Amino acid sequence: CLSIPMAEQTVERQELYNKAIQHLQSQPNASKWKNPTTFSTPLHVACRLIDVDQNQRSAKELCAVMDLLLQSYPEALQLKDASGNIPLHYAIAPSTLWMAGVAAVSASKSGEDMELSKDSQQQQLAQFVKPEEDWRARGIFVQHLMLSNLQVAQAYWQQNDVIFESTDATGGCSPLYRVLQTIPDDFDPN
């Protein structure tokens, strides 16, 4: 997948999301599926995909998938996965560790060596996570989730010991602190 130009990957993801939309429209109970190992719902996965698609044309289709998931199974917003996280957790801030896993899986599918050097991992990760990340797109996703269940959102935002999957996370902190920590620094010349 990583050997395919980003524009083609975006088109493939748009097609995949459109198929997911059609499936959810005909089979709304599919949104209630839970991975038996990770306990992730399709909404958890969709929220993790924000890291891949927020700066792409496929973000519109991902947003439509999330809306259908929320309409057909709003309870998923408060379900915790095996790590104890609700979907909103994955939506609020990028997860560089999960994205590195996406890059590794994509590399293995394209026949590349799974044992990538740190520099190679960073280069492949840069295809997905851009320094000029468009936080407006992430904000739209988060807004959809928050407005779906304000009580769940408020309870999550009031926590102060949330652990985030990232190489730059500082341990337990509030979700707001993590968002502020991951916003690109306008004052950093690098």
Side-chain angles (χ1 to χ4, degrees):
C1 184
L2 290 175
S3 60
I4 301 171
M6 185 57 87
E8 291 178 35
Q9 291 179 33
T10 299
V11 170
E12 287 178 5
R13 284 195 305 277
Q14 282 177 303
E15 292 171 1
L16 178 66
Y17 292 148
N18 283 325
K19 287 179 184 178
I21 290 166
Q22 291 171 357
H23 182 73
L24 286 168
Q25 288 171 336
S26 66
Q27 303 286 328
N29 282 336
S31 61
K32 295 180 180 181
W33 183 81
K34 250 184 156 175
N35 182 301
T37 305
T38 65
F39 305 125
S40 293
T41 66
L43 187 59
H44 284 88
V45 175
C47 288
R48 284 181 170 254
L49 287 172
I50 294 170
D51 291 333
V52 177
D53 285 302
Q54 67 181 337
N55 293 320
Q56 307 300 326
R57 290 178 306 211
S58 50
K60 178 181 169 186
E61 287 81 7
L62 177 57
C63 196
V65 169
M66 289 176 66
D67 284 344
L68 280 171
L69 290 169
L70 287 166
Q71 288 170 14
S72 58
Y73 191 45
E75 296 83 4
L77 189 61
Q78 56 192 322
L79 296 179
K80 293 182 179 183
D81 63 9
S83 298
N85 299 317
I86 61 174
L88 181 59
H89 176 83
Y90 300 111
I92 65 157
S95 172
T96 54
L97 293 180
W98 191 75
M99 287 305 302
V102 169
V105 168
S106 296
S108 70
K109 286 183 179 178
S110 67
E112 296 176 24
D113 186 7
M114 283 291 289
E115 296 298 320
L116 301 171
S117 70
K118 188 159 182 96
D119 288 340
S120 179
Q121 287 176 358
Q122 292 292 60
Q123 288 172 349
Q124 291 189 358
L125 193 55
Q127 291 186 36
F128 296 106
V129 181
K130 297 174 176 44
E132 65 280 357
E133 181 176 16
D134 185 354
W135 280 88
R136 291 171 296 177
R138 184 175 292 279
I140 291 168
F141 289 117
V142 171
Q143 184 179 18
H144 279 293
L145 294 168
M146 290 180 62
L147 294 177
S148 295
N149 189 327
L150 292 174
Q151 290 176 321
V152 170
Q154 182 179 13
Y156 179 73
W157 281 98
Q158 290 179 346
Q159 295 180 36
N160 63 5
D161 59 351
V162 180
I163 304 295
F164 292 90
E165 297 175 348
S166 181
T167 56
D168 65 345
T170 56
C173 62
S174 73
L176 178 59
Y177 181 82
R178 179 64 182 148
V179 167
L180 294 173
Q181 187 181 38
T182 57
I183 292 176
D185 187 356
D186 291 345
F187 301 107
D188 185 4
N190 297 324

